[in-house]
Amino acid sequence: MHTAILIVQCKDNKGIVAAVSQFLYENNGNILAVDQYIDEELGDFFMRAEWELETFAIEKDSILEEFKKNVGFKYEMQYSLSFNFPKPKMALFVSKLSHCLFDILSRYYSGQFNVEIPLVISNHPDLEPVVKAFGIPYYHLPVTKENKFTQEKRQLELMKEHQVDFVVLARYMQILSGDFINNFPNNIINIHHSFLPAFVGAKPYHAAYKRGVKIIGATAHYVTEELDAGPIIEQDVARVRHHNTIDELVQIGQDVEKVVLSKAIKYHLARKIQVVGNRTIIFN
Amino acid sequence: MHTAILIVQCKDNKGIVAAVSQFLYENNGNILAVDQYIDEELGDFFMRAEWELETFAIEKDSILEEFKKNVGFKYEMQYSLSFNFPKPKMALFVSKLSHCLFDILSRYYSGQFNVEIPLVISNHPDLEPVVKAFGIPYYHLPVTKENKFTQEKRQLELMKEHQVDFVVLARYMQILSGDFINNFPNNIINIHHSFLPAFVGAKPYHAAYKRGVKIIGATAHYVTEELDAGPIIEQDVARVRHHNTIDELVQIGQDVEKVVLSKAIKYHLARKIQVVGNRTIIFN
Amino acid sequence: MHTAILIVQCKDNKGIVAAVSQFLYENNGNILAVDQYIDEELGDFFMRAEWELETFAIEKDSILEEFKKNVGFKYEMQYSLSFNFPKPKMALFVSKLSHCLFDILSRYYSGQFNVEIPLVISNHPDLEPVVKAFGIPYYHLPVTKENKFTQEKRQLELMKEHQVDFVVLARYMQILSGDFINNFPNNIINIHHSFLPAFVGAKPYHAAYKRGVKIIGATAHYVTEELDAGPIIEQDVARVRHHNTIDELVQIGQDVEKVVLSKAIKYHLARKIQVVGNRTIIFN
Amino acid sequence: MHTAILIVQCKDNKGIVAAVSQFLYENNGNILAVDQYIDEELGDFFMRAEWELETFAIEKDSILEEFKKNVGFKYEMQYSLSFNFPKPKMALFVSKLSHCLFDILSRYYSGQFNVEIPLVISNHPDLEPVVKAFGIPYYHLPVTKENKFTQEKRQLELMKEHQVDFVVLARYMQILSGDFINNFPNNIINIHHSFLPAFVGAKPYHAAYKRGVKIIGATAHYVTEELDAGPIIEQDVARVRHHNTIDELVQIGQDVEKVVLSKAIKYHLARKIQVVGNRTIIFN
């Protein structure tokens, strides 16, 4: 079923829900889901509505304009409109670890993700056979201090060439430059192997072991220029005990990482995420 | 802040959200929260809206009538209107175990519950000192096979006398008759010490031990005539290990029970629960 | 590192720990892990010890006999001795769903499992490409009421031919006969898609939806003749909300299933499971 | 039942388990529980054994000496011996929040804790009625920058006077001086309202809200001079969503805090905790 998804944001005000829902009703929109959220601290109103396109009175390409004219303008709204088709194009960046990659490809294979994966990029050759087995092109672009700038340029060219909509760092162990990041604002999802903000940076399982925590976790977040500090999309945790070695923390943690990352991808694909400052609204 | 809460249910139809929100907007209602849910299986639409009363153009006592005339009638809605004042009156039924009682009284003491507790009823004398310390009347009504009918009559009189709105069975180890239950449809909350539907009935921790489960749980539900089969409001679980004795299961479980029961009470007090068949919608 | 694992069971008695550990010490065993458990209800003592073989004074093939003579006989012990080499051989049985299969193969690929997978058997052809991509033979043995007996015979032949040590039913949607099961006592692991003992049998997610539970789960257990009633190895759960459709329950549940099943396999491979009646001790 | 609990620590070595268990066996000790742990990184061995005193051949007061002579000396062990009687004496420090206090007192009331509570100390008068209702003396010692030193002296006098064994900071909102702390090494338990090491210091729920985490937590730890940096005893978490206000985070978090703190007290009372560097072994 083809649907449209509208997310709006504006100062909280009387009549907004009425205005938006009236707009959809008058144009014969069959609403499938509608969610609101009022951020009392900011005084801001947020709404996500999804409706069937087939019966809708306004042409796909005119919806935004009509909405602006009839509703958006009056309430000084910011809004974004998207559609659940064609399938968005997702690029995967990986290094050597396979658990997140397999989890994503497995869902891709079984049709759980409404997505296309035009390419996988890696700074190592290791995972090429896995990716090839799924019929997906694999680009091996080793990164060193010296060639980082050039390789990122190449990566960006590949993104363009394959018309990539968003990027998933599935345990890609390189830090992207601000320049790369700015090409995909709120469109690069990273999985960090700790419950942020604890254990930012390298080797979080080692740090967790050393600190003697009883719970470890993983965090999927949008990438911003500050390392591991972007808006959090999803987190989960697992219990550990004193006898668990660092290697065991790694294995226990990987099961959390892969599920958390795939949930974040699912929210992103369904346009259920709205970033507000450094926080996310998850319309779920 | 004084608020009104409207919950509506009707066949799903275009324009319902618009109609309800338009009604609130036209009457100057400042919406604090609005949630919808479409049950695709039933084809039913549900909505909960909460708004400030102070600025609302319609008198408290006329809201229902006006709503019916302007919206409810057209969409053949069922609806219920309530207010967050005066505080609802909650009766507690207990037996010998104190953990749920203490948890509820502790929240009552700290102002976490918007509720009055006019009385506690027990079939045992044990918890009277605890209840008295909180300044709440305690009625000791021992129940036997023989006097059950009489005692329930007395209990119902007490409910009436104290104008009780709803009843919480905080580990009350007697089964209420259908007659009693019918006096409080969807207004008796019970905590069962298992993750229903597993381990219905007596001694669920013993049964859990015997079955060798790795997770135990607790379930808060509305009481219906069929034992432990009413609509589930909230559940939670805790991990156990093979070395945990039944006594340890009981202690671990009690921590789950008390938190689950108090959450259910909180949802009930905030009118966030809508019963649909044998399921609950939790507008949260 | 080559290790031996000894699990003993006997009536609880003074001096058992001393006797076993003395035996290992005297023979120069470097203990890597030792765990005891006293089942107070049964009055039974259980112990698992793992030690390095390299420095051990007794030849691999004589350990059992020596242990019996020096310790086992005196305390009327039952005991089992195993080694972490050669790698055990695990057969996978699947039907159409790929999530558990992928999860297992992904861990197999990354070396997380100390196992060989000589073959995969399925009653459907669907997953053959996946399995082939990992270089594992795939046997398509469709099962009907009529041919069930013959096909099980064929399956057993394949087990023999490939010297299979244990079987994992990774969402294999056929019920094995008692005859088949008796060939692999406590060596067939099944994943059931509910938190047993709730929702035994077919379509547990549908049943969970209908019952309106707030938590769904999955259970890995050894297969016995009674359906979904064998000793539980591992369980886990996930929260669901009223708006989750059955399809969403399925997707949420699959993430729990695959992690639970893989944990059970890991325990089984490490010989950390002892079955006692219908319960399991997990030496972890 | 009267029991003795021995915890030993030494360099890992062959024969330690044999030596300790032989010592208990020869002296007719009926072992109720025994747990070992080998810290591979440190190369250290840890063991906790609990046994019945009634039948034990060595007098209570001579056990330590005999153990040292027969076992401890040989392996250069550190060891601590304790008994489950008389009941340890626990002092509670509170400020204004009642949830942890109620939870502890409720377990004390129901006999879940093997403890005496000779006094409660607070820098505020608010919780006096609650404490008095349980028949426990309440000392109101307001703390300011100016009188902090004097008040701590008074607190220490009260600890001495009441023969306090350990201190529980049940949301006591004052920072204790190093001098006070050094009087109770590994005997002051604090509950911090975040999953440490995230959100050290004041107002962690505000910080969690601002960071937009999807999970909040609580941490019970031994108090050391560095704020919120002592050995972690227990942690737990709860999910939150974008719509939860800071006040809601506080309420959700309090349910975690109280259960985590009470679990830590239970471990401490059962002498199940061994501090190693800045980590804890929980023999459970």
Side-chain angles (χ1 to χ4, degrees):
Chain A
M1 186 201 310
H2 283 183
T3 67
I5 298 138
L6 178 70
I7 296 184
V8 306
Q9 170 174 4
C10 60
K11 283 290 137 198
D12 188 21
N13 213 323
K14 279 173 191 161
I16 302 175
V17 179
V20 176
S21 49
Q22 193 67 28
F23 171 78
L24 296 174
Y25 172 53
E26 280 171 359
N27 292 295
N28 211 25
N30 191 23
I31 295 176
L32 300 167
V34 49
D35 287 284
Q36 299 90 27
Y37 164 61
I38 298 162
D39 187 313
E40 288 175 32
E41 214 180 14
L42 300 173
D44 278 358
F45 172 90
F46 300 88
M47 184 170 173
R48 178 192 184 275
E50 183 164 10
W51 68 95
E52 277 184 69
L53 269 184
E54 205 190 354
T55 60
F56 202 52
I58 309 175
E59 282 298 305
K60 195 186 159 197
D61 291 343
S62 311
I63 296 175
L64 207 57
E65 196 187 346
E66 287 296 311
F67 179 74
K68 183 182 174 181
K69 207 169 62 188
N70 288 282
V71 186
F73 188 75
K74 179 176 170 194
Y75 291 99
E76 297 180 34
M77 284 175 174
Q78 294 172 270
Y79 38 83
S80 69
L81 181 73
S82 47
F83 304 95
N84 74 345
F85 66 97
K87 289 185 185 180
K89 291 190 171 66
M90 168 171 81
L92 295 177
F93 281 50
V94 299
S95 289
K96 288 182 167 182
L97 291 171
S98 62
H99 58 288
C100 286
L101 176 68
F102 263 119
D103 198 65
I104 292 167
L105 294 180
S106 146
R107 292 169 204 265
Y108 172 67
Y109 174 87
S110 69
Q112 205 181 96
F113 283 157
N114 178 43
V115 80
E116 276 185 42
I117 306 180
L119 81 163
V120 174
I121 287 177
S122 180
N123 55 335
H124 292 284
D126 308 53
L127 298 173
E128 177 156 13
V130 175
V131 172
K132 284 267 167 84
F134 284 84
I136 300 170
Y138 186 89
Y139 294 88
H140 175 212
L141 301 177
V143 176
T144 61
K145 254 186 209 168
E146 288 69 32
N147 74 358
K148 184 167 173 163
F149 180 76
T150 330
Q151 293 296 54
E152 278 207 349
K153 230 183 111 189
R154 175 76 185 116
Q155 290 168 355
L156 281 170
E157 283 166 11
L158 285 166
M159 299 299 105
K160 210 168 214 173
E161 194 182 308
H162 290 279
Q163 296 175 284
V164 164
D165 293 299
F166 71 107
V167 174
V168 170
L169 310 180
R171 295 298 306 272
Y172 180 64
M173 305 317 283
Q174 290 288 327
I175 297 174
L176 297 173
S177 74
D179 189 47
F180 187 101
I181 295 167
N182 289 330
N183 277 273
F184 293 95
N186 294 335
N187 271 309
I188 306 175
I189 300 175
N190 182 47
I191 181 71
H192 183 71
H193 37 317
S194 81
F195 49 82
L196 290 176
F199 308 126
V200 165
K203 296 204 171 278
Y205 290 125
H206 288 72
Y209 181 86
K210 211 179 147 201
R211 181 62 188 94
V213 294
K214 302 301 184 188
I215 282 172
I216 58 171
T219 306
H221 63 95
Y222 285 124
V223 174
T224 56
E225 289 205 39
E226 192 183 339
L227 185 67
D228 298 332
I232 294 172
I233 302 169
E234 176 66 351
Q235 301 185 289
D236 208 350
V237 296
R239 289 209 153 261
V240 294
R241 298 182 62 216
H242 63 269
H243 61 67
N244 290 123
T245 61
I246 292 174
D247 278 355
E248 288 170 345
L249 296 197
V250 168
Q251 284 201 17
I252 294 167
Q254 288 184 350
D255 283 351
V256 182
E257 292 167 35
K258 70 188 185 190
V259 174
V260 164
L261 178 57
S262 286
K263 263 192 198 163
I265 294 172
K266 208 177 285 182
Y267 293 150
H268 187 87
L269 287 170
R271 322 267 175 175
K272 289 192 166 176
I273 312 175
Q274 173 77 354
V275 174
V276 189
N278 205 39
R279 311 175 73 237
T280 60
I281 300 169
I282 307 293
F283 290 110
N284 193 41
Chain B
M1 187 203 307
H2 284 182
T3 67
I5 298 138
L6 178 72
I7 295 183
V8 306
Q9 171 174 4
C10 60
K11 284 289 138 202
D12 188 22
N13 213 324
K14 280 173 192 161
I16 302 176
V17 178
V20 176
S21 48
Q22 193 68 27
F23 171 78
L24 295 175
Y25 172 54
E26 280 171 358
N27 292 294
N28 211 25
N30 190 24
I31 295 175
L32 300 167
V34 47
D35 287 284
Q36 300 91 25
Y37 164 61
I38 297 161
D39 187 314
E40 286 175 34
E41 213 181 15
L42 300 172
D44 279 356
F45 172 90
F46 299 88
M47 184 172 174
R48 179 191 183 275
E50 183 164 11
W51 68 95
E52 276 185 70
L53 268 184
E54 207 190 353
T55 59
F56 201 52
I58 308 175
E59 282 298 307
K60 194 185 160 196
D61 292 345
S62 311
I63 297 174
L64 208 56
E65 197 185 344
E66 288 296 312
F67 179 76
K68 183 181 173 179
K69 208 168 60 187
N70 288 283
V71 185
F73 188 75
K74 179 176 170 194
Y75 290 99
E76 297 180 35
M77 283 174 176
Q78 293 171 270
Y79 37 85
S80 70
L81 182 71
S82 48
F83 303 96
N84 73 345
F85 66 98
K87 289 183 184 179
K89 291 190 172 68
M90 167 172 82
L92 295 177
F93 282 48
V94 298
S95 288
K96 288 180 166 182
L97 291 171
S98 62
H99 57 289
C100 286
L101 176 66
F102 263 119
D103 198 65
I104 293 167
L105 293 180
S106 146
R107 292 169 203 265
Y108 172 67
Y109 173 87
S110 68
Q112 205 180 98
F113 282 158
N114 178 43
V115 80
E116 277 186 40
I117 306 180
L119 82 163
V120 174
I121 286 177
S122 180
N123 56 335
H124 292 285
D126 309 52
L127 297 174
E128 178 155 15
V130 174
V131 173
K132 283 268 166 82
F134 284 85
I136 300 169
Y138 187 89
Y139 293 88
H140 175 213
L141 301 178
V143 176
T144 62
K145 254 185 209 169
E146 288 70 31
N147 75 358
K148 182 167 175 166
F149 180 76
T150 329
Q151 292 295 57
E152 279 207 348
K153 229 183 112 189
R154 176 74 185 117
Q155 289 168 356
L156 281 170
E157 283 165 11
L158 284 166
M159 298 299 104
K160 209 169 215 174
E161 195 181 307
H162 290 279
Q163 296 175 282
V164 164
D165 293 299
F166 72 106
V167 174
V168 170
L169 310 180
R171 294 298 308 271
Y172 181 64
M173 304 315 285
Q174 291 288 326
I175 296 172
L176 297 173
S177 74
D179 190 45
F180 186 100
I181 294 166
N182 290 330
N183 277 272
F184 292 95
N186 293 337
N187 272 307
I188 306 175
I189 299 173
N190 183 47
I191 181 72
H192 183 72
H193 37 317
S194 81
F195 50 80
L196 290 175
F199 309 126
V200 164
K203 296 205 173 279
Y205 291 124
H206 288 72
Y209 181 87
K210 213 180 147 199
R211 181 63 188 92
V213 294
K214 302 300 184 187
I215 283 173
I216 58 170
T219 307
H221 64 94
Y222 285 124
V223 175
T224 55
E225 288 205 39
E226 192 183 338
L227 185 64
D228 299 330
I232 293 171
I233 303 168
E234 176 66 353
Q235 301 187 290
D236 208 351
V237 298
R239 288 209 154 262
V240 294
R241 299 181 60 216
H242 63 270
H243 61 66
N244 289 123
T245 61
I246 293 174
D247 278 355
E248 288 170 345
L249 296 196
V250 168
Q251 284 200 19
I252 293 166
Q254 287 185 350
D255 283 351
V256 182
E257 292 168 34
K258 69 187 186 190
V259 174
V260 165
L261 179 56
S262 285
K263 262 192 199 163
I265 294 172
K266 208 177 287 183
Y267 292 150
H268 187 87
L269 287 170
R271 323 267 176 176
K272 289 192 166 174
I273 312 174
Q274 174 76 354
V275 174
V276 189
N278 205 40
R279 310 175 75 236
T280 60
I281 300 168
I282 308 292
F283 291 109
N284 192 44
Chain C
M1 188 202 309
H2 283 182
T3 68
I5 298 138
L6 179 71
I7 296 183
V8 307
Q9 170 174 5
C10 60
K11 282 289 137 201
D12 188 23
N13 213 326
K14 280 172 191 163
I16 303 175
V17 179
V20 177
S21 47
Q22 193 68 28
F23 171 78
L24 295 175
Y25 171 55
E26 282 171 356
N27 293 294
N28 211 26
N30 191 23
I31 295 176
L32 300 167
V34 47
D35 287 284
Q36 300 89 27
Y37 164 61
I38 298 162
D39 187 313
E40 288 176 32
E41 214 181 14
L42 301 171
D44 279 358
F45 172 91
F46 299 89
M47 184 168 172
R48 178 191 184 277
E50 182 164 12
W51 68 95
E52 276 184 69
L53 269 183
E54 205 189 354
T55 61
F56 201 52
I58 309 174
E59 281 298 308
K60 195 185 157 196
D61 291 344
S62 311
I63 297 175
L64 208 55
E65 197 186 346
E66 288 296 311
F67 179 75
K68 183 182 175 179
K69 207 168 61 188
N70 289 283
V71 186
F73 187 75
K74 179 176 170 195
Y75 290 99
E76 298 180 33
M77 283 174 177
Q78 295 171 268
Y79 39 83
S80 70
L81 181 72
S82 47
F83 303 96
N84 73 345
F85 65 97
K87 289 185 187 180
K89 292 191 172 65
M90 167 172 80
L92 295 179
F93 281 49
V94 298
S95 289
K96 289 182 168 183
L97 290 171
S98 61
H99 56 289
C100 287
L101 176 66
F102 264 119
D103 199 66
I104 293 166
L105 294 179
S106 146
R107 292 169 203 265
Y108 172 67
Y109 173 88
S110 68
Q112 205 181 98
F113 283 157
N114 178 42
V115 79
E116 276 185 41
I117 306 179
L119 80 164
V120 174
I121 286 176
S122 180
N123 55 335
H124 292 285
D126 309 52
L127 297 173
E128 178 154 14
V130 174
V131 172
K132 284 266 166 86
F134 284 84
I136 300 170
Y138 186 90
Y139 294 88
H140 176 211
L141 301 176
V143 176
T144 62
K145 256 186 207 167
E146 290 67 32
N147 74 358
K148 183 168 175 165
F149 179 77
T150 330
Q151 294 294 57
E152 280 206 347
K153 230 183 112 190
R154 176 75 185 118
Q155 290 167 355
L156 281 171
E157 284 165 11
L158 285 166
M159 299 297 104
K160 210 168 213 173
E161 192 182 310
H162 290 279
Q163 297 174 283
V164 165
D165 293 297
F166 71 106
V167 175
V168 169
L169 310 179
R171 296 296 308 271
Y172 181 62
M173 305 317 284
Q174 290 288 327
I175 297 173
L176 298 172
S177 75
D179 189 46
F180 187 100
I181 294 167
N182 290 330
N183 278 272
F184 293 96
N186 294 336
N187 272 307
I188 307 175
I189 300 174
N190 182 45
I191 181 72
H192 183 72
H193 37 317
S194 81
F195 50 82
L196 290 175
F199 309 125
V200 165
K203 295 205 172 277
Y205 291 124
H206 287 73
Y209 181 87
K210 212 180 148 200
R211 180 63 188 93
V213 294
K214 301 302 185 186
I215 282 173
I216 60 170
T219 305
H221 64 94
Y222 285 125
V223 174
T224 56
E225 288 205 40
E226 190 183 338
L227 184 66
D228 299 331
I232 293 171
I233 303 169
E234 176 65 352
Q235 301 186 289
D236 208 348
V237 297
R239 289 209 153 262
V240 294
R241 298 182 62 216
H242 63 269
H243 61 67
N244 289 123
T245 61
I246 292 174
D247 278 355
E248 287 170 345
L249 296 196
V250 168
Q251 285 201 15
I252 294 166
Q254 289 185 348
D255 283 350
V256 181
E257 292 168 33
K258 68 187 186 189
V259 174
V260 165
L261 178 56
S262 286
K263 265 191 197 163
I265 293 172
K266 208 177 286 184
Y267 292 150
H268 187 87
L269 287 171
R271 321 267 175 176
K272 290 193 166 174
I273 312 175
Q274 173 76 353
V275 173
V276 189
N278 205 39
R279 310 175 74 235
T280 59
I281 300 168
I282 307 292
F283 292 109
N284 194 44
Chain D
M1 186 202 309
H2 282 181
T3 67
I5 297 136
L6 178 71
I7 296 184
V8 306
Q9 172 175 2
C10 60
K11 282 289 136 200
D12 189 22
N13 214 324
K14 278 173 191 162
I16 302 176
V17 178
V20 176
S21 49
Q22 193 67 27
F23 171 77
L24 295 176
Y25 172 54
E26 282 172 357
N27 292 294
N28 212 25
N30 191 22
I31 295 176
L32 300 168
V34 48
D35 287 284
Q36 300 90 26
Y37 164 61
I38 298 162
D39 187 314
E40 288 175 33
E41 213 182 14
L42 300 172
D44 279 357
F45 172 89
F46 299 89
M47 183 170 174
R48 179 193 183 275
E50 182 164 12
W51 68 96
E52 275 186 69
L53 269 183
E54 207 189 353
T55 61
F56 200 52
I58 309 175
E59 282 299 304
K60 192 186 161 197
D61 291 344
S62 311
I63 297 174
L64 207 55
E65 199 186 344
E66 288 295 312
F67 179 75
K68 183 182 174 179
K69 210 168 60 188
N70 289 283
V71 185
F73 188 74
K74 179 176 170 195
Y75 291 98
E76 298 181 33
M77 282 174 176
Q78 292 171 272
Y79 37 85
S80 70
L81 181 72
S82 48
F83 304 96
N84 74 344
F85 67 96
K87 288 183 186 180
K89 290 189 173 67
M90 167 172 80
L92 295 177
F93 281 49
V94 298
S95 289
K96 288 181 166 180
L97 290 171
S98 62
H99 57 287
C100 286
L101 176 67
F102 263 119
D103 198 65
I104 293 167
L105 294 179
S106 145
R107 292 169 203 265
Y108 171 67
Y109 173 89
S110 68
Q112 206 182 96
F113 283 158
N114 178 42
V115 80
E116 277 186 41
I117 306 178
L119 80 163
V120 174
I121 286 176
S122 179
N123 56 334
H124 291 285
D126 310 51
L127 298 173
E128 178 155 14
V130 174
V131 173
K132 283 267 165 84
F134 283 85
I136 299 170
Y138 187 90
Y139 294 88
H140 175 213
L141 300 177
V143 176
T144 62
K145 255 186 208 169
E146 288 71 30
N147 74 359
K148 183 167 174 166
F149 179 77
T150 331
Q151 292 296 55
E152 278 207 348
K153 230 183 110 188
R154 177 74 186 119
Q155 289 167 357
L156 281 170
E157 283 165 12
L158 284 166
M159 298 299 102
K160 209 168 214 173
E161 194 182 306
H162 289 280
Q163 297 174 284
V164 164
D165 293 299
F166 71 107
V167 174
V168 170
L169 309 181
R171 294 299 306 272
Y172 180 63
M173 304 316 284
Q174 291 288 325
I175 296 172
L176 298 173
S177 74
D179 190 47
F180 186 100
I181 294 166
N182 289 332
N183 277 271
F184 293 95
N186 293 336
N187 271 307
I188 306 175
I189 300 172
N190 182 48
I191 180 74
H192 183 71
H193 38 316
S194 82
F195 50 82
L196 290 175
F199 309 125
V200 165
K203 296 205 171 280
Y205 290 125
H206 288 72
Y209 181 86
K210 212 178 147 202
R211 181 62 188 93
V213 294
K214 301 302 184 186
I215 282 174
I216 58 171
T219 306
H221 64 95
Y222 285 125
V223 174
T224 55
E225 288 204 40
E226 192 184 337
L227 185 65
D228 300 331
I232 293 171
I233 303 169
E234 175 68 351
Q235 300 186 289
D236 208 350
V237 297
R239 288 208 154 263
V240 294
R241 299 182 61 217
H242 63 270
H243 61 66
N244 289 123
T245 61
I246 293 174
D247 279 356
E248 288 170 345
L249 296 196
V250 169
Q251 285 200 19
I252 293 166
Q254 288 185 348
D255 283 351
V256 182
E257 292 169 32
K258 68 188 187 190
V259 174
V260 165
L261 178 56
S262 285
K263 262 191 198 162
I265 294 172
K266 208 177 285 183
Y267 292 150
H268 186 88
L269 287 170
R271 322 264 176 178
K272 290 192 166 174
I273 311 175
Q274 174 76 353
V275 174
V276 189
N278 205 41
R279 309 176 74 238
T280 60
I281 299 169
I282 307 292
F283 291 110
N284 192 44

